[in-house]
């Protein structure tokens, strides 16, 4: 009675009338219902939203929007609406005064509506003040109001037309006004306001259009369409991308997480966490003091009451609130999912009931369509929130890791290799990103399952349990398979890591491999690992086939068992269309959550592992910034160390004991001592990099540091030197000149703006060292710490630098300088000398004092200094001799031979010795060449992103790699599977249409049998194609990897110089991994969804042939949208991956140079750079997420249209159709949306991934070097017997378009001669050896060894017979034995003998594993000197007739140098030795010296006779003080 009393004064009017509303050809609502419920719905909605929305706006203020015409119009309309509503109200009061009593709702409804309109007007203004440009809440409000009003409007019109009843004119007029105003308000609501004042978007060159887009544009993702069109017209570039929204940028996100983590970590800091750093490997520290042993953090189990910092809590605090929105969307979507099957049930009933009015069918169709569309919009809003959260998570994690990496201690750094830390950034952060999209499935999957089961129970009763049982059985099977797959994946990852590590080393040391002809040995090693990997892959392929089988057959088995039980239990259970197809639709819904759960769980497990790794990393101890006092104190001196003891980590034994010294301001201090006595550690201690156990250390003022191994950033040369300081032109020029960089700069393609590659690949060692020095000098600090910067440069350059920079007359003469050095000749000019041994200072004093003491130092000097000393003095007394010829005459040191760049250039501008200016003998055309090359040089840096569509030939290549038979077999099996599947469903529809006689159906058993048989054949086909595709995929990846490896190893040296090793490693890791494990499943899914879509269309056409009119146009729309999307998406993906590498390489670089960054106190700038790089990457990632949503919304609309038309045609032709067919066609059309989505996703995935095949093939077509061995011309095994080398008119160039680097060389070297090769840098010394080893082929002339022209024989035949001790000693990770003898040709005795001769026997026998001692990557755990000796041992082991020594004595202290020289003299007595000398004193006793200048031999003879000639050699000797 309650609501009836509102309907009329005397309760005569009903509130609801079924006959009026439902059972009629022309439905309508009662007056009362119209004026109460329909009016109140929008009001209830707005008042319910108001409190939440109001709070939201208060917290999220985007700035103030000025009043605009749009806003004025909206407000005015709102007020007019209020007036209209209350006009009704006052009219009712007026009627009462006239004694016309109407129903109470005439008073209540206008009042409520009027107040709501006032609220709406208030919200319009409030939103404007808070900067909301377009409001969803209001748009929905106006939409609901308009829909409700439309119903009333229709009813009023019908009422006015039909009866002659009197019409309430006033109310009609007000209602029409109300209706029109609502319509206008809704239209106005679709336009966004202008941006708020003072917002970021105003200053932004390319703001993201998202926030200024209207609500409709945002829910349909229309705002990205502009970018899509652009991407369709031409490939997108980085400059087309919008900037990130403010709340997605690093500077907004990272500090939030960092703050929350700091709070959480502070809680645990109260109880100290015991971390032990145990060393895994023995420490080998050397002169560079960089103890690169690995250690493992053992966290001792804290007692129960201890509190562990929870990273999850921190992440939840930071990102939870935004993420909770997704919760609501997901719940709404899950409920809407079940409307489909329910409406299908009603539709089938409608088709069955021949008397139902037609409009009901149309109503159901409309309802189905609306629900589907709502579902689409909600689902993609949900996904959008998830992905954005994932993106923010990644940004935050990367930022926090980067900030942490700058402050962790050295011992903590050792627990994780650089690679592992980079992995935290790439892999683990990625896992969080993936999890964000899944995490809601944890509650949503069970919810979906429960709802589906409830509806099924209603439909089929208890027999559902049979189907459920099958499903539940399949879940553990799936789980077991998931676990298995996981273990296989781990095994595969392990092999892959090993393989990549090995590849990395092969590519870094490719030059050594080529010089030693070791390619085959290493190729075998790689293939051995690859074999293991493929074995595991094969196993996981079988598993994948099983998984696909269960996934495809599960729904069928479930349906079969349920229907079988249902019809068997009771004769009277009839399987009619409604039961069968509604159940099928529900089973299809069920299949998704059940299959997702195992995935979600494993994804959560993975994320929790990542969480733990991150937590451990973020909890590492940090450097104590106060261990070294950096501020000025009252004490005298600028460095004061009292009783200080240091170790590398808290639990290590101290490496420096009771150090005491004071450095007065402005003095020059040398630190000398043997290899590994702690010289570099002393500098690290002064920088605060070590753990101070006790004592007191003061370093006054700012510090500049030059490390032993120069750290160069991947930036321009200028940026490397300026290093974030202000640019001061005159100072910069002075610094460059003092550091002898001018000539180098002239030679670089674009001067000091030349970009330097990662780790300084395009600079020689000496140049890197000088850049590092220039950086320190430029920064104008108070205290300078030099870690042996003179070792990597030639003698005369070293001298120049000492005089101009470090020495008593240099730029830095008023600064405090600490110099670690091996060079004896500078010691007399020092103020004080510290002599170190075994981590203690053994002696200290000036040069003269130490000589007087006659201690260890004097001994050390006597051995070396006699020769050098005498020349040093004579030199110091005659400075005038030098004035004429400045020292920098072409002092570009170029050590690494074959660094293509400098060599190309060093011939177009060579320095003439007379004027010291560069004399251009080359024509201007040739000078243009280096400039043209600068571009090509830059291009080799980045990995090229291919544009445009993938060519069909790539797919053909892949099919050929699989094998054509297998390819076509798999396609055939696919066909069989889908034919069987269609047939079984069609059979089901025939079954449901069987007539019912006496409450039962006739041929139940036959029907069931055939249905089952069709299902089983479908299963067999599925299993077949799964197996075939997986196995085919493995064939393909084996074939492609083998080719790639072979081709890369066969490439000439020039190829490796042009291609950054990162690109190559990428081919071997990323692309091969894609071919291994991504392409086969994608092909399966692609084929599957293609056939599914075709199948669905066929069924719809069978049921309602009229659909043929609609399907092709929809198909075209679909194709158009898809092509449109793929063009943009592919390019966005490329941009994203191209912008991703700088993030990692910058991080890598930072980790390598962290001590330098800390010394110069540049952390802030590097953090900022990192944030910028991450944002650059997210800038490409964000549009690609949105593009995915854009596509999905568009496609689902195409799918929804198919549903609409399938249902519509079924309703139109319902008299001709059986309910079975209607059920069949609508249930198929309901699935088609998902299939279409899948299909586009898969086709674009396939296209992006098949590129891997293309990129792998790309290297197969590269130029190759000559054959490795040629049977016909192979020389005798004893060749060369005497070792006679003849150069006949020999010439060499580096590339076709460049000048000759060596020309017209005619020299005969007899067997057993010792030849020294000297010349200024760039004279072609190294090129000569490259020619001898045929790293570069001769341009003219020939080289004859013992009568055989070396160009005629295979490369390996040649290279096995000549030995080189290369300049940079490269070792590979593996046992020491493998490094000496990779082919296992020699016995252990031989190896021990060679080690003894190389003075390594004591060292090696002291190792626990002796010969099996594992060398770290690049030989990091041996000192540079020891590595040099290992290279010597290699040469001794090969014992060939010809030995080439590319002198690398730079990094070695004088003792080691003498060892090497004496060993070579004694052991290679009968051999021909060619030495490229930097220090002339090593070759003074050789038989002959060749002096090269500009690629020609200018002098040749014994050292003594050349000195008599007073030519170039004499001048060089004079420069290094040997005369």
């Amino acid at each position: 009675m309650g609501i009836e009393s509102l309907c009329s004064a005397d309760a005569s009017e009903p509130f609801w009338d079924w006959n009026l509303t439902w059972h009629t050809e022309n439905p309508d609502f009662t007056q009362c219902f119209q004026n109460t419920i329909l009016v109140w719905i929008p009001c209830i909605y707005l008042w319910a939203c108001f409190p939440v929305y109001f709070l939201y706006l208060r917290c999220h203020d985007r700035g103030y929007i000025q009043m605009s015409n749009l806003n004025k119009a909206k407000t005015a309309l709102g007020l007019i609406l209020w007036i209209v509503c209350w006009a009704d109200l006052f009219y009712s009061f007026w009627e009462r005064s006239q004694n016309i009593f109407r129903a109470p709702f005439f008073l209540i409804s206008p009042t409520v509506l009027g107040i709501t309109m006032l609220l709406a007007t208030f919200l319009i203004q409030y939103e404007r003040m808070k900067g909301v440009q377009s409001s969803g809440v209001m748009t929905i409000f106006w939409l609901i109001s308009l829909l409700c009003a439309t119903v009333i409007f229709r009813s009023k019109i019908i009422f006015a037309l039909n009866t002659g009843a009197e019409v309430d004119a006033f109310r009609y007029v007000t209602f029409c006004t109300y209706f029109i105003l609502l319509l206008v308000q809704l239209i106005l609501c679709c336009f966004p306001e202008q941006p708020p004042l003072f917002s970021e978007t105003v200053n932004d060159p390319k703001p993201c259009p998202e926030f200024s887009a209207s609500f409709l544009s945002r829910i349909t993702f229309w705002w990205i369409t502009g970018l899509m069109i652009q991407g369709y017209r031409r490939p997108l570039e980085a400059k087309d991308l919008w900037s990130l929204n403010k709340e997605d940028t690093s500077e907004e996100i990272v500090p939030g997480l960092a703050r929350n983590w700091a709070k959480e970590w502070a809680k645990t800091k109260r109880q100290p966490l015991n971390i032990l750093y145990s060393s895994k490997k023995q420490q080998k520290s050397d002169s560079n003091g960089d103890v690169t042993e690995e250690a493992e953090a053992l966290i001792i189990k804290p007692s129960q009451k201890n509190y562990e910092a929870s990273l999850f809590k921190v992440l939840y605090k930071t990102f939870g609130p935004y993420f909770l929105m997704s919760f609501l969307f997901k719940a709404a979507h899950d409920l809407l999912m079940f409307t489909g099957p329910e409406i299908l049930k009603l539709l089938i009933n409608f088709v069955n009931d021949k008397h139902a009015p037609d409009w009901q069918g149309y109503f159901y169709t409309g309802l189905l369509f609306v629900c589907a569309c709502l579902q689409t919009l909600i689902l993609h809003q949900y996904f959008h929130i998830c992905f954005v959260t994932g993106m923010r998570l990644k940004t935050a994690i990367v930022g926090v890791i980067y900030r942490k990496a700058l402050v962790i201690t050295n011992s903590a750094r050792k627990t994780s290799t650089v690679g592992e830390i980079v992995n935290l950034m790439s892999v683990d952060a990625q896992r969080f990103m993936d999890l964000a999209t899944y995490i809601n499935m944890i509650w949503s999957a069970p919810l979906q399952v429960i709802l589906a089961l409830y509806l099924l129970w209603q439909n089929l009763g208890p027999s559902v349990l049979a189907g459920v049982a099958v499903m539940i059985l399949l879940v553990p099977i799936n789980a077991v398979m998931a676990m298995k797959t996981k273990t296989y994946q781990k095994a595969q990852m392990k092999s892959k890591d090993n393989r990549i590590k090995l590849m990395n080393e092969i590519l870094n040391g490719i030059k050594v491999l080529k010089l030693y002809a070791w390619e085959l040995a290493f190729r075998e090693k790689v293939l051995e690992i690859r074999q293991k990997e493929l074995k595991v892959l094969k196993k996981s392929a079988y598993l994948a086939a099983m998984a696909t089988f269960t996934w495809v057959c599960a729904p069928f088995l479930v349906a079969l068992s349920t229907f079988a039980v249902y019809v068997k239990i009771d004769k009277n259970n009839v399987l009619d269309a409604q039961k069968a197809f509604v159940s099928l639709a529900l089973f299809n819904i069920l299949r998704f959550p059940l299959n997702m759960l195992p995935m979600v769980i494993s994804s959560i497990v993975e994320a929790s592992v990542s969480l733990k790794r991150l937590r451990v990393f973020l909890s590492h101890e940090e450097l104590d910034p106060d261990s070294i006092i950096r501020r000025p104190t009252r004490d005298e001196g600028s460095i004061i160390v009292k009783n200080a003891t240091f170790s590398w980590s808290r639990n290590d034994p101290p490496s420096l004991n009771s150090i005491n010294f004071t450095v007065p301001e402005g003095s020059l201090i040398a630190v000398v001592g043997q290899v590994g006595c702690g010289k570099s550690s002393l500098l690290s201690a002064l920088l605060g990099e070590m753990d101070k156990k006790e004592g007191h250390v003061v370093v006054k003022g700012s510090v500049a540091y030059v490390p032993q191994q120069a750290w160069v950033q991947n930036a321009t040369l200028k940026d490397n030197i300026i290093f974030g300081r202000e640019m001061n032109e005159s100072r910069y020029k002075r610094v460059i000149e003092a550091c002898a960089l001018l000539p180098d700069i002239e030679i670089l393609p674009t001067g000091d703006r030349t970009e330097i590659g990662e780790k300084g690949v395009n600079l020689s060692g000496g140049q890197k060292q000088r850049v590092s020095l220039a950086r320190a000098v430029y920064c104008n600090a108070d205290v300078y710490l030099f870690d042996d910067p003179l070792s990597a440069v030639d003698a005369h350059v070293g001298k120049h630098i000492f005089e101009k920079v470090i020495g008593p007359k240099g730029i830095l003469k008023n600064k405090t300088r600490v110099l670690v050095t091996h060079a004896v000749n500078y010691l007399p000019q020092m103020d004080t000398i510290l002599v170190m041994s075994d981590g203690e200072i053994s002696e200290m004093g000036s040069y003269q004092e130490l000589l007087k003491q006659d201690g260890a130092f004097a001994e050390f000097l006597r051995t070396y200094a006699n020769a050098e000393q005498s020349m040093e003095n004579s030199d110091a007394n005659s400075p005038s001799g030098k004035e004429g010829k400045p020292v920098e005459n072409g002092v570009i040191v170029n050590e690494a031979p074959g660094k293509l760049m400098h060599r190309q250039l060093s011939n177009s501008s060579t320095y003439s010795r007379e004027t010291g200016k560069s004399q251009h003998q080359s024509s201007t055309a040739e000078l243009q060449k280096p400039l043209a090359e600068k571009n090509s040089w830059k291009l080799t840096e980045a990995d090229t992103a291919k544009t445009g569509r993938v060519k069909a030939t790539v797919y053909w290549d892949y099919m050929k790699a699989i094998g054509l038979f297998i390819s076509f077999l798999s396609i055939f099996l696919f066909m069989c599977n889908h034919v069987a599947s269609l047939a079984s469903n069609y059979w089901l529809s025939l079954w449901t249409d069987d007539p019912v006689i006496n409450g039962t159906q006739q041929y139940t058993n036959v029907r069931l049998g055939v249905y089952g048989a069709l299902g089983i054949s479908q299963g067999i086909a599925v299993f077949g194609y799964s197996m075939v595709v997986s196995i085919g995929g493995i064939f393909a990846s084996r074939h492609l990897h083998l080719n790639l490896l072979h081709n890369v190893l066969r490439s000439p040296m020039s190829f490796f110089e042009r291609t950054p090793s990162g690109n190559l490693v990428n081919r071997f890791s990323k692309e091969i991994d894609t071919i291994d494990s991504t392409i086969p499943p994608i092909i399966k899914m692609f084929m599957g969804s293609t056939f599914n879509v075709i199948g669905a269309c066929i069924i719809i056409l069978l049921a309602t042939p009229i659909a043929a009119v609609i399907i092709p146009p929809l198909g075209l729309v679909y194709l158009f949208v898809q092509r449109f999307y793929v063009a943009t998406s592919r390019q966005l993906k490329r941009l994203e991956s191209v912008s991703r590498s700088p993030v990692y390489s910058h991080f890598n670089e930072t980790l390598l140079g962290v001590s330098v960054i800390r010394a110069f106190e540049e952390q802030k700038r590097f953090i900022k750079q990192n944030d910028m790089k991450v944002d650059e990457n997210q800038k490409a990632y964000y549009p690609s997420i949105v593009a995915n949503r854009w596509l999905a919304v568009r496609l689902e609309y195409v799918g929804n249209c198919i549903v609409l038309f399938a249902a519509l045609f079924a309703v139109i032709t319902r008299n001709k159709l059986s309910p079975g067919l209607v059920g069949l066609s609508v249930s198929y059309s309901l699935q088609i949306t998902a299939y279409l989505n899948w299909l586009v996703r898969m086709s674009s995935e396939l296209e992006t991934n098949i590129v891997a095949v293309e990129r792998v093939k790309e290297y197969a077509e590269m130029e190759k070097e000559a054959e490795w061995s040629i049977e016909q011309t192979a020389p005798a095994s004893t060749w060369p017997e005497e070792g006679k080398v003849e150069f006949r008119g020999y010439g060499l160039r580096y590339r076709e378009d460049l000048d000759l680097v060596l020309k017209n060389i005619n020299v005969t070297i007899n067997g057993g001669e010792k030849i020294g090769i000297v010349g200024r840098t760039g004279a072609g010394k190294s090129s000569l050896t490259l020619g001898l080893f045929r790293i570069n082929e001769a341009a003219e002339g020939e080289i004859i060894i013992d009568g055989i022209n070396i160009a005629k024989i295979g490369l390996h035949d040649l290279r096995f017979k000549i030995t080189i001790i290369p300049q940079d000693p490269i070792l590979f990770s593996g046992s020491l034995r493998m490094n000496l003898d990779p082919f296992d040709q020699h016995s252990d005795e031989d190896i021990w003998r060679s080690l003894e001769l190389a003075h390594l026997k004591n060292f090696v026998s002291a190792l626990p594993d002796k010969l099996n001692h594992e060398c770290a990557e690049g030989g990091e755990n041996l000192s540079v000197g020891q590595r040099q000796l290992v290279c010597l041992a290699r040469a001794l082991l090969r014992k060939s007739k010809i030995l080439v020594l590319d002198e690398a004595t730079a990094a070695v202290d004088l003792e080691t140098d003498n060892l090497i020289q004496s060993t070579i003299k004694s052991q290679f007595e009968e051999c021909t030795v060619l030495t490229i000398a930097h220090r002339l004193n090593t070759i003074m006793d050789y038989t002959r010296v060749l002096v090269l200048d500009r690629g020609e031999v200018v002098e040749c003879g014994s050292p003594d006779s050349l000195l008599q000639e007073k030519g170039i050699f004499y001048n060089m000797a004079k420069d290094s003080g040997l005369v």
Side-chain angles (χ1 to χ4, degrees), residues 759-792:
K759 296 191 194 154
V761 286
N762 49 341
L763 295 182
S764 70
Q767 284 166 325
K768 275 190 266 194
Q769 196 63 60
R770 292 205 302 277
V771 168
S772 170
L773 187 67
R775 172 195 303 149
V777 178
Y778 183 81
C779 95
N780 199 8
D782 305 324
V783 176
Y784 281 82
L785 306 176
F786 298 110
D787 196 348
D788 204 6
L790 301 175
S791 65

Side-chain angles (χ1 to χ4, degrees), residues 557-583:
L557 286 174
V558 171
L560 180 65
S561 52
T562 309
F563 295 152
V565 170
Y566 182 71
V567 293
K568 286 291 178 205
I569 288 178
D570 186 351
K571 271 284 188 320
N572 297 335
N573 278 352
V574 173
L575 193 64
D576 59 9
Q578 176 197 324
K579 287 199 172 66
F581 289 108
V582 174
S583 307

